[in-house]
Amino acid sequence: MLEIGNLEVVYNKVVLVLRGVSLRVEDGQAVALLGSNGAGKTTLLRAVTGLLSIHDGEITKGAVEWNGERLEGLAPTEIVRRGVAQVMERRRIFPDLTVEENLLAGAYQRRDGEVRADVEAQLERFPVLAGRRSSAAGYLSGGEQQMLAIARALMARPKLLLLDEPSLGLAPKLVEEVAGVIGSVNAEGVAVLLVEQNAAMALDVADHGYVLETGRVVHDGTAEELREDRDVKDFYLGLGAEGRKSFREVKHYHRRKRWLS
Ligand SMILES: Nc1ncnc2c1ncn2[C@@H]1O[C@H](COP(=O)(O)OP(=O)(O)OP(=O)(O)O)[C@@H](O)[C@H]1O
Ligand SMILES: [Mg+2]
């Protein structure tokens, strides 16, 4: 289980970006993390994967625990080795390496003898990649690159998969396909923490969700609760007339309406 408690993160020693965030992902659970641009979603993932320091970021308060062990201070490779793998924002595949080499790169921390077999298993799971196994990954379409990014993360044999906006820039049909893949990975027992601005997709896949705004969790509940929540509907599912104000403004607006009626 991943348990983040009262996490505070600062960039460049001065910019406070996460202001006491608490969040948990139980074993095998799928959790959505929603929030608009700049809310701190990617920063939260960096705090889990150990990648904050290369961005001049630092945890100044709180804890990140994975199965009871503190992750702060561990090297990124050590964290992957403990079963936490990430699909990064904007699908950072290696464009000059082939599809197969990208998959092998996802297993860089493994020392077991089953890496080759896992490459074949991933190519079987993603038939669109199988036909392109020897092509440079940079030539794949956006959707194919996203599949490759997910397949590469799975090569680490994670128990927890972190995904940073996997639907970004994809056509609706491909978003559905990516959601299907994430759902089936989760159904195989891999816990998922899914960062998305596409709330409809994320809440479809997830059991539970959190809404992050300017570094704070302003809302959390089951996926069903969030889907039915008027504030979430208005702001993230685009069903209201209020336009894209901040989530908190939408909340206040509703509260005021309730007082007036
Ligand atoms: N390396 C950095 N140095 C300084 N500030 C940073 C750094 N990385 C991110 N920030 C700031 O931290 C805040 C949160 O950024 P973050 O990337 O975590 O947001 P996000 O929720 O992932 O946004 P998006 O949806 O646009 O990806 C933003 O104000 C951003 O400008
Ligand atoms: Mg981000």
Side-chain angles (χ1 to χ4, degrees), residues 21-246:
V21 172
S22 298
L23 172 155
R24 59 157 70 191
V25 183
E26 314 266 355
D27 290 345
Q29 200 184 23
V31 172
L33 179 61
L34 311 175
S36 39
N37 290 118
K41 306 180 298 296
T42 298
T43 300
L44 183 123
L45 296 188
R46 284 177 185 156
V48 177
T49 54
L51 294 175
L52 268 179
S53 58
I54 62 168
H55 295 277
D56 257 326
E58 197 186 345
I59 294 174
T60 46
K61 222 182 176 176
V64 180
E65 268 185 28
W66 170 240
N67 296 333
E69 184 189 10
R70 300 283 290 259
L71 293 185
E72 312 101 275
L74 287 183
T77 314
E78 285 304 316
I79 294 170
V80 176
R81 202 167 277 151
R82 282 164 175 71
V84 180
Q86 186 184 7
V87 178
M88 291 216 264
E89 217 171 5
R90 280 176 269 282
R91 32 184 179 270
R92 304 261 173 69
I93 45 123
F94 302 115
D96 301 326
L97 299 187
T98 66
V99 165
E100 196 172 341
E101 288 163 348
N102 266 275
L103 292 177
L104 288 170
Y108 73 96
Q109 85 298 348
R110 283 174 54 181
R111 297 284 173 273
D112 60 277
E114 292 169 37
V115 171
R116 282 281 160 193
D118 277 9
V119 167
E120 298 311 318
Q122 291 308 328
L123 292 174
E124 214 164 287
R125 181 199 279 278
F126 298 97
V128 37
L129 298 180
R132 313 288 299 274
R133 66 187 297 158
S134 306
S135 315
Y139 291 122
L140 300 178
S141 72
E144 290 163 351
Q145 289 189 12
Q146 189 57 267
M147 296 302 178
L148 177 57
I150 295 172
R152 187 180 62 183
L154 292 175
M155 285 298 297
R157 289 194 170 180
K159 297 188 190 73
L160 170 65
L161 183 64
L162 312 172
L163 298 116
D164 200 346
E165 303 205 33
S167 80
L168 194 72
L170 298 184
K173 197 179 157 292
L174 287 171
V175 172
E176 231 172 82
E177 217 172 290
V178 167
V181 165
I182 298 168
S184 72
V185 168
N186 179 238
E188 288 161 23
V190 178
V192 167
L193 179 56
L194 173 59
V195 165
E196 266 296 337
Q197 289 196 44
N198 185 336
M201 180 273 225
L203 293 177
D204 222 30
V205 174
D207 315 307
H208 200 94
Y210 292 81
V211 179
L212 194 64
E213 186 166 299
T214 50
R216 285 199 176 86
V217 172
V218 293
H219 214 65
D220 90 273
T222 65
E224 202 176 325
E225 281 164 2
L226 289 179
R227 254 198 312 266
E228 293 309 317
D229 183 273
R230 195 153 47 150
D231 303 325
V232 173
K233 269 188 187 169
D234 280 348
F235 189 57
Y236 291 103
L237 301 175
L239 301 175
E242 276 88 53
R244 288 184 70 86
K245 296 174 197 145
S246 82

Side-chain angles (χ1 to χ4, degrees), residues 10-29:
V10 170
Y11 283 114
N12 309 317
K13 303 260 181 237
V14 288
V15 193
L16 180 63
V17 167
L18 294 184
R19 306 153 187 264
V21 172
S22 298
L23 172 155
R24 59 157 70 191
V25 183
E26 314 266 355
D27 290 345
Q29 200 184 23

Side-chain angles (χ1 to χ4, degrees), residues 242-256:
E242 276 88 53
R244 288 184 70 86
K245 296 174 197 145
S246 82
F247 183 76
R248 230 174 278 138
E249 265 177 78
V250 171
K251 228 174 165 171
H252 284 150
Y253 173 85
H254 280 143
R255 225 171 270 150
R256 216 169 51 233

